[in-house]
C-alpha cells in the first residue's frame, strides 16, 4: 500500500499550474510532506478554478499543464521519495460544448455512441438545456440566439453557450443556401448539384449512418473552395438567425430543448450535481461508461504516476460499493483510496468497502467539538433564542429546509421519482400525484443520514432502522399522509406486494437524491440560518451538537484506529465553510457565554446608527457577522487591507444561501447592498473597533493555542494528516472562493528556512511565542510534528492509541494520549477550555494555573522523554506534572524509546 505519512492539498488551475507546483516540491519535502494531494487535473471547462467541471477525462487540463509536465513532476517527487494522491470526479461532467461526449449526444441524439453515458431520460426525445436567462420566446425576440457555421458544423449560439445543430437539420439550412445560389447560378451548376447531393445523402442516411461525418466534410470543402457557396451558407445562417419562425422551427428538430434556467426547479430530465444545471451526471454503474471514463486514470495508476485516489461525491453514484470494487480491481491493491463522504455523528463507514477511509470531514468535526466547552450549551441556547426568536428547533429547521429544497429547487427530480414509481408499476396513474409527491418529499427529507447503500432485500438492521426513523419523522410532520408514507415504507423496506427488483431499484434511485437534498438543505441553507455557534456550521459537523467530552474523543479515536487507521485527518479543505483557525477562535466563545452576549448587545447598540437600512441586517444576520469577524479579523500586527471587501463578498453569499431575504434564484440586491454598507460602516467605525478589537484579541490569542493543539492532534492521532494549501500559517479564510486565494509561497519558504536555521534556539522559540499573531508558531509546530511522522511513520500508521489518565484540580482542561509501536513512544499533551484558568491573555503556564494536575504514565513508558518542541528532557516516574510539561510551550509532544541509553 502506498500509504502517505502526510498529504498537502493543492488547487491546480491556470493560476497555479504544474509549473508553479514544481517550484514548491522542494519546500514540501522540507516541510516533511510525503504526498501531493491534487485537485482534479483532467480537461475541464475553460477558466475552471477547481477542476470538478470535467469535459474530457482522457486528457490533462491544458490550463494546468501537460502530461509531460505531470511526468516531470512525478519524477521529481519520486527522487524525493514523495507520492501523488489524485482527486477524481466519477459522478458528473460539465454540461458544456467542450464536453466532446455530450456534444456528440446533443448533435446525434440516439445515434451517438455516448448516448447511454449520461443520466438522461429520453422519453420526450430531447434533453433539456436549461441555460437561458429568459424564456426562449423572449431570447429569440431580443436576437440573443443565432446560428453560425464553425469549421464543418452548424451551431446555435447563446452568448458563450454553443449547441450543435443535428446533422438531420442540415438539409433545411442547405435548402436556404440553394435558394440563394439559384438566384445567382442555375440549378445545373456543379456546386448546386453537389449541395443537393449532400442534402439528399444526409436525408437518406440511417440513424446509425457512419457517413454523416463524410457529408459534413464534403460540405465544408465546398464551403472553403467555392466563394458562392461560402456566401450562400453564411447568408443562410443570417436569414435563420433573423427569423423568429425559422429559428424556432429549426430548434424544434434538435435533440435538445433550450429553456430558462429556472425551469429545472419544477422539471428536469437529466440528473445533475446537487442543483447545478451545468454539471450533468454520468451513469457510472454502466460497465462501458466506467471503462471509458477510467482509461487514463487506470493508465496513470499503472504507471505509478498516481499512488492514490480520492473519489469525489461517492454518494451520487447508483451503487457506490460496486463502483469501489470495480475501481479497486482496476488500480490494484497498492493504491491508497479515500472517498469524499459526509458521515452523520453516529454513522459509520461500511467496513466492507475496499478503501482506506474518507477525506476527513468527520475528523474535522470531532476535533472541532473537542475544543468547544460543552458547559456553555444552555447559556448559548437561551441567549440565541432571544436573538432569533420564533425559529423552530434545529431538527425541525433541517427537516423544513430539506423539504423546501426538494420541492422548490429540486421539484423536477421529485416529479421524476414519482414518474419512476408509475413506470415501475409501484403506483397507478389514477392516484393523487400531489399527495404522493408530498409524501415522497416528506419521507426523503426525514432521512437522518446522507443515504444508505441497499444492494438486496432483506435490508440490514441498520438500513431498516434508518428508514424507520425517516418514516417516523415524516409521519409526525405529515399525519394526513400516513397511508402514503406507510406504503412508501413498505416499498423501501421490501415488504410490499410489488416485485423486489422494482422496489429495490426505486430505493436505490431515491438514494442518489437524498445526499444532494441533505447538502443543499442543511449545509447550503440551514447552516446559514441557525447561527448559535457558527464554528460548527461546517461540512461534516453538526451545530446541534455543542462540544464533546475527552472520553468521547478517546473512544472515537480508538474506533478509528481499529477500523480506518489510514483515513485522512483534515481540518481545512477547499469545501470548508471557514478557515481551521477561524473555527478555533469562535470556539473560544463557548467558554465565556455571558461576556460574549454582553458584548454582542453592546456592539449592536453602538452600531445601530450605522445601518443604511433599518432592517438590514436583521439581528440573526448581525449576530452571524460578529462571529464571522471574530474568526476572520486579523490582529493589528498582521493587518489585512482586503478584510472589508472580503467580508462584504462573503456575506452576500451567506445571505443568498440562507434564502431568507434574498437568494441565488431571486436576489434582492437592495437588501444585499444594505448589509454590505453596514459591514463597511462598522469596520471603519472607531467607536466599534475600540470595543471590538480588545475582545477579538482575546479570542484570537486563546484560539491560536487551540489551533496548535489541533495541529498536534491532526498529525499524531490515528489517520493521515492533510494540510490544505497555505494553512501552514494562520487560516482565517471564509468559504470558497475566499479560501482559494493565491498562496504566498515565497513567504512560507522564507519562514521555513528561518525555522530550520533556529531549530534548537530557545530564544527563537520565545520570539515565536511573543509574535503568535504572525503564524510562524503554527508552521513551527507543523514542521516538528510532520518531521516525527515522516521518520517514524509506523508508530502513527500501526501504533496503539492509548488514552492517558489526567488527575488533579484542572484535569478537565487537559487531553493526553500516547502512540506506541514496538519500543517507540510518543505522548501528546494538549490544553483545552483554558480561558477560565489563565490570567487575561496569557499562556497556560505555572503552578498557579495547573496546580496539582498531572498525567499518569503506563509502566511500559521509557525511562526518559524529550519534548520535541523545546528539547527539554524529563526523567520518567509514575506521573509527570502539567506545570512542568507546559512551562515553555503551550502544547507538548514527548518522545522516548527503549533503545535509548
Amino acid at each position: 500500500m502506498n500509504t502517505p505519512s502526510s498529504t498537502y492539498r493543492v488547487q491546480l488551475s491556470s493560476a497555479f499550474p504544474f509549473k508553479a507546483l514544481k517550484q514548491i516540491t522542494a519546500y514540501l519535502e522540507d516541510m516533511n510532506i510525503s504526498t501531493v494531494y491534487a485537485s482534479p487535473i483532467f480537461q475541464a471547462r475553460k477558466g475552471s478554478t477547481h477542476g470538478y467541471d470535467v469535459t474530457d477525462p482522457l486528457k490533462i487540463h491544458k490550463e494546468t499543464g501537460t502530461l509531460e509536465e505531470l511526468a516531470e513532476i512525478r519524477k521529481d517527487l519520486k527522487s524525493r521519495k514523495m507520492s501523488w494522491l489524485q482527486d477524481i470526479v466519477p459522478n458528473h461532467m460539465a454540461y458544456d460544448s467542450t464536453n466532446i461526449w455530450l456534444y456528440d449526444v446533443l448533435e446525434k441524439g440516439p445515434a451517438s455512441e455516448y448516448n447511454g453515458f449520461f443520466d438522461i431520460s429520453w422519453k420526450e426525445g430531447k434533453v433539456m438545456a436549461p441555460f437561458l436567462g429568459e424564456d426562449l420566446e423572449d431570447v429569440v425576440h431580443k436576437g440573443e440566439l443565432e446560428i453560425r457555421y464553425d469549421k464543418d458544423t452548424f451551431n446555435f449560439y447563446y452568448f458563450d453557450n454553443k449547441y450543435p445543430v443535428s446533422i438531420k437539420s442540415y438539409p433545411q439550412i442547405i435548402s436556404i443556401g440553394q435558394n440563394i445560389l439559384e438566384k445567382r447560378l442555375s440549378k445545373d451548376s456543379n456546386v448546386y448539384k453537389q449541395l443537393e447531393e449532400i442534402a439528399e445523402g444526409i436525408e437518406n442516411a440511417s440513424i446509425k449512418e457512419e457517413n454523416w461525418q463524410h457529408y459534413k466534410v464534403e460540405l465544408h470543402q465546398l464551403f472553403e473552395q467555392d466563394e458562392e457557396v461560402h456566401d450562400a451558407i453564411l447568408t443562410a445562417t443570417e436569414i435563420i438567425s433573423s427569423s423568429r419562425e425559422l429559428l424556432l422551427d429549426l430548434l424544434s428538430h434538435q435533440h435538445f430543448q433550450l429553456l430558462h434556467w429556472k425551469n429545472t426547479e419544477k422539471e428536469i430530465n437529466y440528473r445533475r450535481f446537487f442543483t447545478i444545471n451545468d454539471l450533468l451526471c454520468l451513469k457510472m454503474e454502466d460497465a462501458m461508461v466506467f471503462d471509458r471514463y477510467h482509461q487514463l486514470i487506470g493508465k496513470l495508476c499503472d504507471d505509478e504516476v498516481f499512488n492514490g485516489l480520492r473519489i469525489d461525491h461517492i454518494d451520487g453514484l447508483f451503487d457506490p460499493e460496486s463502483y469501489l470494487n470495480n475501481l479497486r480491481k482496476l488500480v490494484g491493491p497498492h493504491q491508497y483510496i479515500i472517498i469524499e463522504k459526509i458521515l452523520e455523528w453516529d454513522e459509520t463507514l461500511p467496513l466492507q468497502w475496499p478503501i482506506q477511509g474518507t477525506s476527513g470531514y468527520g475528523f474535522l468535526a470531532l476535533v472541532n467539538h473537542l475544543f468547544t466547552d460543552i458547559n456553555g450549551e444552555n447559556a448559548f441556547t437561551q441567549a440565541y433564542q432571544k436573538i432569533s426568536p420564533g425559529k423552530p428547533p434545529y431538527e425541525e429547521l433541517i427537516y423544513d429546509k430539506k423539504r423546501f429544497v426538494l420541492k422548490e429547487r429540486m421539484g423536477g427530480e421529485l416529479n421524476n421519482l414519482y414518474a419512476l414509481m408509475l413506470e415501475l408499476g409501484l403506483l397507478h396513474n389514477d392516484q393523487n400525484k400531489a399527495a404522493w409527491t408530498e409524501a415522497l418529499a416528506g419521507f426523503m427529507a426525514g432521512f437522518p443520514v446522507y443515504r444508505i447503500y441497499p444492494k438486496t432485500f432483506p435490508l440490514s438492521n441498520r438500513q431498516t432502522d434508518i428508514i424507520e426513523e425517516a418514516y417516523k419523522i415524516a409521519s409526525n410532520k405529515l399525519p394526513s399522509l400516513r397511508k402514503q408514507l406507510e406504503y412508501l415504507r413498505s416499498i423501501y423496506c421490501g415488504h410490499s406486494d410489488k416485485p423486489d427488483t422494482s422496489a429495490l431499484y426505486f430505493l436505490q434511485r431515491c438514494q442518489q437524491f437524498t445526499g444532494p437534498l441533505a447538502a443543499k438543505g442543511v449545509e447550503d441553507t440551514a447552516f446559514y440560518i441557525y447561527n448559535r455557534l457558527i464554528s460548527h456550521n461546517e461540512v461534516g459537523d453538526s451545530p446541534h451538537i455543542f462540544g464533546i467530552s475527552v472520553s468521547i474523543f478517546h473512544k472515537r479515536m480508538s474506533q478509528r484506529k481499529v477500523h480506518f487507521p489510514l483515513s485522512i485527518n483534515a481540518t481545512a479543505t477547499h469545501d470548508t465553510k471557514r478557515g481551521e483557525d477561524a473555527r478555533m477562535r469562535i470556539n473560544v466563545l463557548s467558554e465565556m457565554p455571558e461576556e460574549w452576549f454582553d458584548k454582542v448587545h453592546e456592539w449592536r447598540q453602538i452600531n445601530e446608527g450605522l445601518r443604511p437600512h433599518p432592517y438590514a441586517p436583521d439581528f440573526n444576520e448581525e449576530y452571524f457577522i460578529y462571529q464571522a469577524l471574530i474568526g476572520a479579523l486579523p490582529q493589528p500586527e498582521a493587518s489585512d487591507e482586503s478584510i472589508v471587501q472580503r467580508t462584504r463578498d462573503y456575506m452576500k453569499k451567506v445571505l443568498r444561501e440562507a434564502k431568507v431575504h434574498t437568494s441565488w434564484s431571486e436576489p434582492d440586491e437592495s437588501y444585499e447592498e444594505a448589509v454590505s454598507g453596514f459591514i463597511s460602516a462598522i469596520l471603519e467605525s472607531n467607536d466599534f473597533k475600540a470595543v471590538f478589537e480588545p475582545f477579538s484579541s482575546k479570542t484570537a490569542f486563546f484560539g491560536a493555542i487551540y489551533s496548535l493543539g489541533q495541529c498536534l492532534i491532526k498529525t499524531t492521532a490515528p489517520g493521515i494528516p492533510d494540510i490544505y494549501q497555505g494553512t501552514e500559517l494562520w487560516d482565517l479564510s471564509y468559504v470558497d472562493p475566499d479560501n482559494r486565494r493565491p498562496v504566498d509561497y515565497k513567504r512560507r519558504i522564507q519562514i521555513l528556512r528561518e525555522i530550520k536555521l533556529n531549530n534548537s534556539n530557545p530564544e527563537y522559540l520565545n520570539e515565536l511565542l511573543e509574535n503568535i499573531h504572525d503564524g510562524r508558531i503554527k508552521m513551527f509546530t507543523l514542521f516538528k510534528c510532520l518531521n516525527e511522522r515522516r521518520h517514524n511513520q509506523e508508530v502513527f500508521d500501526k501504533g496503539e492509541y492509548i488514552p492517558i489518565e489526567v488527575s488533579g484540580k484542572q484535569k478537565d482542561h487537559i487531553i493526553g494520549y500516547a502512540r506506541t509501536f514496538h519500543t517507540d513512544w510518543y505522548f501528546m499533551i494538549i490544553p483545552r477550555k483554558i480561558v477560565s484558568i489563565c490570567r487575561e491573555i496569557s499562556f497556560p503556564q505555572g503552578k498557579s494555573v495547573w496546580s496539582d494536575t498531572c498525567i499518569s504514565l503506563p509502566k511500559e513508558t521509557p525511562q526518559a522523554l524529550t519534548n520535541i518542541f523545546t528539547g527539554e528532557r524529563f526523567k520518567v516516574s509514575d506521573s509527570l506534572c502539567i506545570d512542568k510539561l507546559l512551562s515553555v510551550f503551550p502544547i507538548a509532544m514527548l518522545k522516548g524509546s527503549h533503545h535509548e541509553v
Side-chain angles (χ1 to χ4, degrees), residues 472-540:
K472 181 179 179 181
I473 293 170
S475 59
N476 287 338
K477 283 284 190 178
L478 305 168
S480 64
L481 297 174
R482 186 157 295 178
K483 182 178 179 181
Q484 287 88 347
L485 292 168
E486 287 177 352
Y487 178 71
L488 287 172
R489 176 177 62 174
S490 72
I491 293 291
Y492 282 156
C493 292
H495 296 157
S496 70
D497 59 356
K498 304 300 181 182
D500 279 358
T501 52
S502 298
L504 182 63
Y505 180 82
F506 181 69
L507 172 59
Q508 291 173 311
R509 191 62 164 165
C510 285
Q511 295 309 290
Q512 287 185 281
F513 298 101
T514 52
L517 175 60
K520 298 306 296 180
V522 181
E523 295 171 22
D524 292 341
T525 305
F527 275 11
Y528 294 100
I529 299 174
Y530 184 81
N531 301 329
R532 182 176 64 173
L533 187 67
I534 64 172
S535 52
H536 295 292
N537 296 20
E538 186 57 86
V539 181

Side-chain angles (χ1 to χ4, degrees), residues 308-323:
L309 299 173
R310 182 255 198 198
I311 317 304
D312 182 66
H313 192 45
I314 193 74
D315 281 343
L317 304 181
F318 183 79
D319 184 356
E321 183 176 344
S322 293
Y323 169 81

